[in-house]
Amino acid sequence: GVSTSLTLIGEGGLDLRFNNIGGAGWATIIAGVCRNKDSRIHTIDASYERIGPDDAQVIGEALRTSVSASLTSLTLDFNDIQGSGDSFGKALKSNSSLKTLSMLHCSLYAVDGKGLAAGLAVTTSLTSLRLDDNYLRDEGVASICEVVQNNKAAKLALLDIKQN
């Protein structure tokens, strides 16, 4: 079996990257971690793993309904997950353990920025959000910046939205 002391999936932990698991496989792994109340996995790095929009919807829903308080950091960089902003926004509304979310170069558009903004308006747990190198444009960036400014309970210390 897998060691019960495992806390990280990715470099430095159980490194499953570059194994052709594919987006559906990664969605299943992340959903499994979120469904396990006894999980000790706190970091998952699924960068460059061919996660697509449908897989990202599954991941967002898993984060929204998570019973695991251990997952604090999720990196989805360099995956093509456009259209998933609403799903991740809903996850941010109800998930109180996620502190770091990185979605750089993920083909996110203005509508995704608006979806994420809905979650950022109420989240009090997220401390770092990386959205650089997407297609949020002025509209998506403005939506995010407005809610971050207005959420007085927010703990967001890093918001990276360059090259949008």
Side-chain angles (χ1 to χ4, degrees):
V2 176
S3 169
T4 57
S5 64
L6 181 68
T7 61
L8 182 130
I9 297 177
E11 185 177 0
L14 177 60
D15 197 346
L16 300 173
R17 295 172 307 147
F18 310 112
N19 281 305
N20 294 318
I21 293 171
W26 276 100
T28 301
I29 289 167
I30 294 167
V33 168
C34 290
R35 281 192 303 264
N36 182 349
K37 65 178 179 55
D38 297 322
S39 172
R40 294 183 181 176
I41 305 293
H42 62 78
T43 301
I44 296 177
D45 182 352
S47 301
Y48 298 96
E49 291 298 332
R50 297 186 329 268
I51 295 172
D54 293 340
D55 310 316
Q57 297 292 334
V58 171
I59 293 167
E61 180 63 13
L63 290 170
R64 187 185 71 76
T65 59
S66 180
V67 297
S68 171
S70 67
L71 185 62
T72 60
S73 178
L74 179 60
T75 302
L76 298 171
D77 301 345
F78 295 91
N79 286 293
D80 190 20
I81 59 173
Q82 75 276 359
S84 63
D86 187 56
S87 182
F88 282 95
K90 288 176 182 173
L92 291 174
K93 287 180 182 179
S94 62
N95 185 303
S96 61
S97 64
L98 196 64
K99 302 209 178 323
T100 302
L101 179 61
S102 184
M103 299 163 60
L104 69 92
H105 199 85
C106 284
S107 300
L108 299 174
Y109 288 85
V111 67
D112 297 305
K114 288 180 177 183
L116 285 164
L120 290 168
V122 298
T123 187
T124 59
S125 62
L126 202 67
T127 60
S128 174
L129 178 61
R130 293 199 59 204
L131 297 170
D132 27 327
D133 201 21
N134 280 291
Y135 306 101
L136 298 173
R137 304 290 183 234
D138 290 346
E139 186 179 357
V141 170
S143 296
I144 290 168
C145 290
E146 181 179 335
V147 299
V148 167
Q149 280 185 313
N150 292 329
N151 182 350
K152 301 303 181 204
K155 296 177 184 165
L156 197 64
L158 172 71
L159 174 60
D160 195 342
I161 50 177
K162 66 181 172 272
Q163 295 179 324
N164 271 289

